[in-house]
Amino acid sequence: ACLDAGAHGITVHPRPDARHIRHADVLALSALCRERGVEFNLEGNPFAPPRAGYPGFLALCEQARPAQATLVPDGDGQLTSDHGFDFERDGEALRPLVASLHALGCRVSLFADAGSAVEAAAATGADRIELYTGPFAAAFAAGDAASALAACADSARRAARAGLGVNAGHDLSQTNLGAFLAAVAGVAEVSIGHALVDEALYAGLDATVRAYLRILANA
């Protein structure tokens, strides 16, 4: 339904406990996106060990061959992704994983906090960062998003200077997306899940996806 409405791609975040999506769903959606000629973006923690029902993130990417692999440092106990990598600490460990994903034909994006050392992210060989926009969304809801927007915009500029593309995601909605894109230049892609599903409960998936596409077009 989302692709029929014009969505540019599908993002999924399989976790080891399968609470978001199951292994078989990942493979089915990968095939669907390939058939439709749209981007399939697979998110996950590359350091999470394999277990029953979860082969590990790199093994999933080898099976699904997503257009983009987004690496996220979420632990099993986290309700949702709530922070980016510490690139100065994690860069050496990320570098061989980025190379392995490139060998599978994946573009690689790294989840990043606004204000983080994005230059160190570039040193891993990654293609993009994905700005974690949760703090911006919270500040926007509180009526004072100026400093959060400034931090995101600065990180996007520094990432571009370091040769990285910029994605963004987390808690973006129809309410705040336009303001974010107006303030943060050069955003290549946004991933929107929770708000889109909430809004679709009232308007339906087709109308909700089309509403986001209008926001993007206006930006």
Side-chain angles (χ1 to χ4, degrees), residues 22-197:
R22 289 177 281 194
H23 184 184
D25 301 324
V26 171
L27 302 182
L29 286 170
S30 173
L32 175 65
C33 289
R34 195 174 299 113
E35 174 189 320
R36 294 292 191 95
V38 299
E39 179 183 291
F40 185 53
N41 176 33
L42 196 58
E43 292 190 358
N45 183 352
F47 302 120
R51 62 204 76 177
Y54 181 75
F57 185 72
L58 261 69
L60 263 180
C61 288
E62 187 171 7
Q63 294 168 18
R65 299 298 174 107
Q68 179 171 266
T70 300
L71 309 188
V72 182
D74 61 326
D76 285 3
Q78 286 179 232
L79 179 64
T80 186
S81 306
D82 60 12
H83 64 281
F85 285 103
D86 179 337
F87 295 112
E88 293 175 324
R89 182 193 67 202
D90 301 327
E92 286 300 316
L94 286 167
R95 188 174 290 111
L97 299 173
V98 171
S100 295
L101 290 164
H102 279 158
L104 295 176
C106 305
R107 182 173 70 238
V108 180
S109 180
L110 304 177
F111 207 50
D113 294 316
S116 63
V118 294
E119 295 81 4
T124 68
D127 305 286
R128 296 184 182 181
I129 58 166
E130 180 177 328
L131 285 173
Y132 169 49
T133 50
F136 153 71
F140 186 93
D144 185 16
S147 61
L149 282 172
C152 289
D154 178 67
S155 292
R157 284 192 296 269
R158 290 191 292 112
R161 285 198 296 267
L164 292 166
V166 178
N167 297 340
H170 218 283
D171 296 331
L172 295 173
S173 68
Q174 289 184 56
T175 303
N176 62 33
L177 179 59
F180 179 80
L181 294 174
V184 183
V187 175
E189 178 179 303
V190 290
S191 290
I192 301 170
H194 190 111
L196 189 149
V197 172

Side-chain angles (χ1 to χ4, degrees), residues 189-212:
E189 178 179 303
V190 290
S191 290
I192 301 170
H194 190 111
L196 189 149
V197 172
D198 286 352
E199 292 155 355
L201 289 173
Y202 296 89
L205 276 171
D206 187 272
T208 302
V209 170
R210 292 180 191 277
Y212 277 104

